[in-house]
Amino acid sequence: RTCLARLIVLVLPPSRVELEQGSATLVCVASGGFPSDWKLGWKVGCSSRSVGVSDSLGVLGKDGHYRWTSTMTLPADQWRKAGSVSCEASKNGQMQPVTQSLNPGECSE
């Protein structure tokens, strides 16, 4: 229970410069989890996405908790058309995943 309560998930939107070049890279950062077996996953709309995704191994911080990052790159037009983009942190199928979503329409370019 404490693992779930402490886990924080943030999703960073793509930059304006990158969008102008035709692609969109989003970064998901999850921190505060323990032990190290949390996994990050992406959804575009309601569909899970694994193409263009790169994950990092968990890094143990000084506070005794882990931090993970995951990046997802997709074409800029897919980003703009997506109703929402979500990053989910889950722990071996246990508990409810911790989810953070972005609405592309709310992100200024």
Side-chain angles (χ1 to χ4, degrees):
R1 283 173 292 178
T2 55
C3 297
L4 188 62
R6 292 183 182 183
L7 191 76
I8 297 171
V9 179
L10 297 173
V11 181
L12 307 177
S15 70
R16 180 187 307 168
V17 172
E18 186 188 21
L19 289 171
E20 289 171 354
Q21 295 172 349
S23 64
T25 299
L26 292 92
V27 180
C28 178
V29 181
S31 60
F34 188 87
S36 63
D37 56 348
W38 287 82
K39 303 292 183 189
L40 299 180
W42 290 94
K43 283 188 175 179
V44 178
C46 295
S47 302
S48 296
R49 185 179 176 96
S50 57
V51 176
V53 172
S54 175
D55 297 323
S56 74
L57 295 174
V59 176
L60 183 61
K62 293 179 181 179
D63 63 355
H65 291 90
Y66 286 86
R67 178 159 70 185
W68 303 262
T69 59
S70 178
T71 61
M72 177 180 65
T73 302
L74 63 163
D77 60 340
Q78 281 190 27
W79 158 250
R80 293 187 181 100
K81 292 175 185 175
S84 68
V85 176
S86 306
C87 178
E88 292 184 346
S90 58
K91 184 177 181 297
N92 281 348
Q94 304 169 8
M95 303 184 251
Q96 283 287 102
V98 180
T99 303
Q100 179 67 41
S101 300
L102 275 184
N103 181 339
E106 296 172 356
C107 297
S108 62
E109 293 183 19

